[in-house]
Every structure is written in C-alpha cells, then in structure tokens.
Amino acid sequence: PAATPGAAAAATTIAVNGAGTGRTFDGIGAISGGGGNSRLLIDYPPAQRQQILDYLFEPGYGADLQILKVEIGGDTNSTDGAEPSIEHTAGNVQCGTGYEFWLMQQAKALNPNIKLYGLAWGAPGWIGGGDFWSTDTINYLVSWLGCAKADGLTIDYLGGWNERGYNIAWYEQLRSTLNADGYSGVQIVGADSDWSVANDIDADPAFANAVQVIGSHYPCQGDGGPALSCSTTSQATSSGKPLWASENGSQDMDTGAPALIRSIVRGYTDARMTAYLNWPLIAAITPNLPYPTDGMMTAGQPWSGNYSVGESAWATAQVTQFTEPGWQFLDSGSGYLGGAEGNGAYVSLKSTNGSDYSTVIETTTATAAQTVNVNVSGGLSNGTVHVWSTDVNAPSPATALIHSQDITPANGSYSLTVQPGYIYTLTTTTGQGKGTAVSPAPATLGLPYNDSYDQDATGSEPQYLQTMQGAYQVEPCLGGRSGQCVQQLAPTTPIEWQSDSDAYGLIGDTTWSNYTVSSDVYLNQAGTAELFGRANKQDRPQSDQAAYLFRVSDSGAWSIDRSDAVGSITTLASGTVSALGTGRWHTIALNMWGTALTASIDGTTVGSASDGTYQTGQAGLGVVGYQTDQFDNLAVNPLP
Ligand code: 147
C-alpha cells in the first residue's frame, strides 16, 4: 500500500556522505528589531541581564545564536515600539542612542564568532525629503556602520528596507558606496521582502553584483500560521546566491518551537535555504503590547528581574550547539523520513574540519515511532555518536536539550528509534550544554514610582520607558533647569514602517490601578503635550492604544480623553485655562480613582470626568505630533 503521511515509516536510511555536495551553512539567528522588542532588557538588574544574554548568546549554554540581526533605529514604530535613530536631525550623528549597539557588543563578548546584520524598518523624516530610496539613506547607513565600527563592531550583513521591496539603482549605489567607503566586506542582503528580487537579480548582472545574499521573509508559512513546508522559486535557486529565511517566526516562544525547527530543517530540504532568522529575539516588553510572548525568551519585568527561557531557545540549540556558520550541508543526508512530509525531516552538516558531522532530525508531524539507519561515509568520523533530544511538541525544561544516548557505529553504520514530536541531533561534536541560571519570581513594580533622570547619561533611554513613536531620550534640561530631563527628539514625521501616531512612550506596570501620574512638562514648541494613565492593551498600529489621556496645550486648552485600542479618541471633559505658553515649566497631573478621573495643572484642579472603561494600566507621556518638548520628575503615586 502507498505510504500514508503521518503513519510510521518502517525505516529510513540516511546516507551521511562527507564527500557529497551541499550548500554552505550560514547560521541560525534572531532579530532584535522591527521592533522595540528588546527594549526592557537593558534595564534589567546586572545579574539577570547577564543570565538572559547567556541564554541567548553564550556558546554551549542556550540558544547559542550564530547571527544577530538588529534594527537600524528610525524613530518610528516598527511593531512593539520605536527604536531611536543615530541621527534625529540631519548632520547630528549621536552614536550612543538606543540599545542595539550595546546588545551587539554583549553578543560579541560572549561569542566572538557571531555574525551581525543590520536592517532599517524606517528612518528619520529629514532623510531624502521623505524618500527612503535616496542617497541620504545610503549616507545614513554608512554613518550607522561608522557608529558600529567606533564600538569595535564589524557588521557582516546589511539590508535595505524591511518588507518594502527594493529599488535596483539604490542597491547598486549602496554597493558602490560601501566599497568606496571601506565597507567592501559588508555583504548586502536583498531585499528582506519576498523571492521576487531573484527575478531581477537573474536578469540584471549589475544588480546581481550589488546583492550578495537573497533574503526572503516568512518563506515557510502563511500570515502568522505555523510552517509545514518551505518554498522558494527557480529564479532564486538558480541565482547562485545564498538563500535565507531572513525573517521567520512570529510565534509564541513555547508553542512556536515545532514550526521553528521545521522551518530550519525543511528550509534546506525544500528550498535550499542556508540561514534562518527568528522574529523576534526576545519579548522584553510589557504584556499589553502585540506579540508579548514571541521570541526565544520573555523578559518583560526589569523591576523584578523575572524572565523565562522558551522552548524555541532549545529547538534552536538543537542546531546551533552542533554546527558553526561555514559548515557544509550534505544533500545526501537531507530529506524526509520515509520520503513523506508527514513523517518528519532531517538535514546533515559537515564540519569545516572535514571529519565531524551533525544530523538534525525533526519528527514534529509524525504520529508514530520510526527507525532511522545512518550510514556514515566520505571521510567523516566513525567515532562515538552523541544523541541529544528535545520533546518539542510538549514543551518542558525537563525534556529540552537532553543528552539521551551515545552510540558506537559498527562499520560506519548505526540505528536508532525516533519518537514523534521530537528533535534529535546526532553528532560527533562535544561541548554542548544547558544553562542552569534560574529566574527570580515575577513581581509588580511597586508604587510610588518616580524618576528625576538626573543621574542618567545624555542620549540614554529613560529607565523603563518604552517609546512607541518618535524618540524619547535623556538630555540636559531646557528653560534654565539644571540636571537631566526626558526630551522627544524626532522633530518631524519619520519615514514610517507602520502607520503614524503621535510621539509617545509608556512606562510601568500594567496592573497599576488607582494612582496619580504627574510630570513637569516644558513646551519647547507650540502644541499639545499629554500624560497617559491606565494604558492597557495596544493593538497594531500603535495609535490603537487603550488609555486615559490628559492633554494640555500652550494655549491653555486642556482635555481628559479616552483612547481605545481601535484607534479612536473620545473627549470626556475639556476646558481652557490661561495660556501656558512655550519655554516655561509646568506641572501636570492625572488622578484615577475608581471611575473618577481628575486633572490638574500647576497644582490646581482644572476638570474631572467619570469613566469605567479601564481599571488598570501603565503611565505614559507624549506629544500630539512631533514637538521637541521635555518632561521631568515623572511620578506615579498610589491613591489609597
Ligand atoms: C513581520 C515584520 O517584519 C516584523 O517587524 C513584525 O512586525 C512581525 C510580526 O509578526 O511581522 O512581518 C511579517 C510579514 C509576513 C508574515 C509575517 C510577518 N507572514 O507572511 O506570515
């Protein structure tokens, strides 16, 4: 009878032939960006911060990532926040902004062999008069490479514009500019969109010379769905370029693990892809934002130090701890168990030393135990084979990355039984390991909470503040005030990746309920500034933010508003006081006690409203538009 997908294949013979052909393996990595998803990591206590970094990057400890792709911040929302640009205004390059350079340095310190990859989702509004495909953008990317270089970082790969297609002349100019400016070693990835770029690469030798790697997004799944198989195009496979899943994932850190390992293994068997980049690296965001559990790990509580390691980290480790970029896939040792997708798939890779090898088998779609016979040949080691496994269909630390068996091949052959729902790695290498650091328990961020910012370095991220649009960073106070303040530094609408909103940021615990949020505010420009209270669920895009708002304008107009996660704003109360003017400091506050909302300016109550829609949520601050206003002495005080 014909083989039934999912039923037990009697036995599969895997020919691991070291003399065989196969593409060069480029690595397995993850994406910090696209964006804001790593934001709270840098605010973790030093001990837990290092443990999280170890679980992500330390060889033989956790996910052991081989490529780190980061966002080149553009002051614009790229999914879960806005990452800061190095150049908010033309000509003022501030290399110290944001956390991605810091993250790359941490990753390199743990694994000097990790490859680095930069990609922009958006860019500051001054660039190209709003046109991303401009010379300004090319010069801006060169400045970003310069900031990396100043930090001792060599960038291996650079992309164009995330999921916004490509402009052939722009890519060619980027290549020639990089070559002229001392970055000929930086490989350009085109186009972080779909496979269609390969059609033009095949048709146009100049374009082919400009692009070194073809990177496609989500080649193994429909929108948000789990991958069962991967696809490419004949133009891509015949291009002669390495083919990458330059973004994949968008799955929960535990339940997404089967799709993750399928995308890696079937990415090669189905589509000859040689790198896989998971979105995102980590969910270091509060739980009210989109995709709060996607990544290798979660770490949304810098105040408690709490974090968790996802099954996706162990699924990744089943490949990364057993290979290195530069190894070679062996086509002979790659395929489907019993020749049927339903039984699972396997890939084999050969070390650059020509002797060691690793075979990764995934049985995530199988329903019964199967026998695997391995025949080793072509100069590969006949030494002891170490078997490591992860029960990926039933995520549990107890069954992840277990050294389950050692086998001595006889005349280059051996057999094992594989259970359904697992990843097995068969290897002659050693040095694997499973980290032992343990997270502290979760806890709420206690009230009162306040920050004067006076100890913070210019250009740094205000502690715990998650910027959603624009660029909030610590700067010297204006208006004759001494010390440090928080300033919005994106002076105009950025080149956006998802829709526009006002420039704002959120801070604190989503369980806060009855409290007063207050802040000093300096209207540096005419317009409206705002405080957020009970900021809760956010849908995409970032304007779809559930919260109460207190807005004040330089004219003296004020309002208490309710913003909803469907993007509408309802005014609950409004009025006018004498003009606040610009260039002066004021103190504004919003009280939330049960359904009673009360607002004050400079200590005088200006109005109140009653609304029961939101009971809990974060505080926040913002401007309506992109004024470069400042904030200071943010305080969140509990109401009894
Ligand atoms: C990606 C973006 O590149 C990321 O910045 C982030 O927004 C992520 C969230 O899922 O989405 O874009 C996707 C494009 C295509 C698919 C999924 C995500 N898809 O076809 O499944």
Side-chain angles (χ1 to χ4, degrees):
T4 312
T12 301
T13 296
I14 302 179
V16 185
N17 179 359
T21 55
R23 293 194 174 214
T24 300
F25 175 64
D26 293 307
I28 306 300
I31 306 169
S32 175
N37 307 67
S38 303
R39 167 63 190 93
L40 296 175
L41 175 57
I42 195 168
D43 288 341
Y44 262 68
Q48 284 80 35
R49 191 170 84 173
Q50 192 58 50
Q51 290 165 12
I52 295 165
L53 291 166
D54 291 347
Y55 275 115
L56 294 172
F57 300 114
E58 188 183 332
Y61 192 86
D64 198 346
L65 296 168
Q66 296 162 327
I67 306 175
L68 173 60
K69 177 176 177 179
V70 303
E71 178 171 350
I72 298 170
D75 297 342
T76 193
N77 192 289
S78 50
T79 300
D80 283 292
E83 303 203 9
S85 167
I86 54 161
E87 201 172 355
H88 306 299
T89 56
N92 300 313
V93 176
Q94 228 183 343
C95 285
T97 57
Y99 41 85
E100 300 295 2
F101 294 112
W102 167 81
L103 183 66
M104 287 190 282
Q105 287 179 309
Q106 300 302 310
K108 274 278 179 191
L110 290 168
N111 177 7
N113 294 326
I114 196 167
K115 306 286 185 192
L116 302 175
Y117 175 176
L119 176 68
W121 267 249
W126 62 265
I127 286 187
D131 178 14
F132 187 94
W133 304 117
S134 60
T135 301
D136 276 350
T137 308
I138 289 174
N139 294 334
Y140 172 72
L141 294 177
V142 169
S143 296
W144 186 86
L145 291 172
C147 287
K149 195 178 194 173
D151 279 340
L153 298 165
T154 300
I155 302 300
D156 299 283
Y157 305 103
L158 182 68
W161 193 3
N162 183 67
E163 293 178 356
R164 293 294 175 271
Y166 54 94
N167 175 307
I168 294 173
W170 184 90
Y171 268 90
E172 292 173 3
Q173 188 187 346
L174 176 65
R175 180 72 275 164
S176 59
T177 304
L178 294 185
N179 293 351
D181 289 1
Y183 296 108
S184 59
V186 177
Q187 300 198 45
I188 293 176
V189 182
D192 278 295
S193 295
D194 58 25
W195 292 120
S196 65
V197 67
N199 306 355
D200 282 309
I201 285 175
D202 281 9
D204 179 345
F207 189 30
N209 280 334
V211 174
Q212 285 65 57
V213 174
I214 296 179
S216 185
H217 281 201
Y218 297 84
C220 302
Q221 63 199 82
D223 194 11
L228 285 173
S229 61
C230 304
S231 61
T232 185
T233 63
S234 58
Q235 291 90 341
T237 39
S238 68
S239 67
K241 309 286 182 191
L243 309 180
W244 289 12
S246 59
E247 184 181 318
N248 220 332
S250 294
Q251 303 285 316
D252 174 85
M253 68 170 180
D254 289 324
T255 61
L260 185 152
I261 193 63
R262 278 196 294 276
S263 298
I264 295 172
V265 175
R266 302 180 188 197
Y268 191 74
T269 59
D270 294 351
R272 290 293 179 258
M273 286 186 279
T274 57
Y276 170 96
L277 292 157
N278 194 70
W279 185 89
L281 173 70
I282 188 170
I285 55 175
T286 46
N288 49 325
L289 298 181
Y291 312 102
T293 63
D294 284 17
M296 300 283 131
M297 303 179 65
T298 55
Q301 283 200 340
W303 43 85
S304 72
N306 177 256
Y307 63 85
S308 48
V309 183
E311 186 80 352
S312 291
W314 303 118
T316 301
Q318 289 274 160
V319 182
T320 55
Q321 291 201 15
F322 302 87
T323 57
E324 293 284 346
W327 282 33
Q328 190 207 317
F329 282 101
L330 297 172
D331 294 346
S332 67
S334 304
Y336 280 97
L337 293 171
E341 198 175 280
N343 295 327
Y346 55 93
V347 286
S348 299
L349 298 104
K350 178 178 79 162
S351 164
T352 45
N353 70 20
S355 169
D356 283 313
Y357 70 93
S358 297
T359 295
V360 181
I361 302 170
E362 58 85 3
T363 56
T364 57
T365 49
T367 53
Q370 301 171 71
T371 300
V372 171
N373 302 311
V374 182
N375 292 335
V376 182
S377 65
L380 296 175
S381 167
N382 270 309
T384 303
V385 176
H386 312 289
V387 182
W388 291 73
S389 66
T390 294
D391 182 359
V392 77
N393 281 10
S396 159
T399 55
L401 199 67
I402 304 299
H403 184 175
S404 51
Q405 205 181 343
D406 280 326
I407 304 174
T408 306
N411 299 320
S413 296
Y414 57 95
S415 299
L416 73 160
T417 301
V418 295
Q419 301 298 329
Y422 274 74
I423 308 169
Y424 296 89
T425 307
L426 324 176
T427 190
T428 58
T429 67
T430 56
Q432 292 77 21
K434 192 173 169 185
T436 53
V438 176
S439 165
T444 54
L445 175 55
L447 295 179
Y449 176 82
N450 50 69
D451 200 337
S452 70
Y453 307 102
D454 288 333
Q455 308 309 313
D456 299 347
T458 297
S460 65
E461 298 274 326
Q463 188 179 41
Y464 302 160
L465 186 75
Q466 300 169 272
T467 301
M468 291 297 127
Q469 180 75 347
Y472 286 91
Q473 62 189 53
V474 176
E475 292 289 315
C477 299
L478 297 172
R481 177 172 288 211
S482 62
Q484 298 288 81
C485 288
V486 172
Q487 187 167 14
Q488 199 292 108
L489 284 169
T492 182
T493 306
I495 297 175
E496 291 162 337
W497 183 72
Q498 62 178 27
S499 318
D500 193 20
S501 72
D502 298 319
Y504 76 97
L506 300 174
I507 182 164
D509 203 299
T510 54
T511 64
W512 288 344
S513 181
N514 292 319
Y515 64 88
T516 302
V517 52
S518 65
S519 177
D520 300 344
V521 59
Y522 181 88
L523 300 173
N524 193 35
Q525 294 176 278
T528 299
E530 62 191 357
L531 291 179
F532 287 66
R534 293 185 182 164
N536 213 299
K537 186 165 173 48
Q538 180 184 118
D539 284 336
R540 297 180 78 176
Q542 71 283 357
S543 54
D544 294 5
Q545 174 65 58
Y548 293 115
L549 307 174
F550 178 41
R551 295 182 151 178
V552 299
S553 156
D554 63 295
S555 69
W558 61 269
S559 61
I560 299 173
D561 304 297
R562 191 187 69 230
S563 167
D564 293 314
V566 293
S568 56
I569 292 182
T570 304
T571 296
L572 304 173
S574 64
T576 305
V577 294
S578 50
L580 303 183
T582 57
R584 279 181 264 159
W585 282 99
H586 295 279
T587 301
I588 61 175
L590 175 63
N591 275 271
M592 292 151 287
W593 166 245
T595 59
L597 313 174
T598 310
S600 69
I601 300 176
D602 295 326
T604 302
T605 298
V606 295
S608 60
S610 179
D611 190 275
T613 312
Y614 303 125
Q615 284 78 45
T616 57
Q618 297 177 286
L621 45 80
V623 296
V624 178
Y626 290 91
Q627 297 86 276
T628 55
D629 298 341
Q630 286 199 340
F631 297 84
D632 197 14
N633 297 318
L634 178 80
V636 182
N637 285 301
L639 293 171

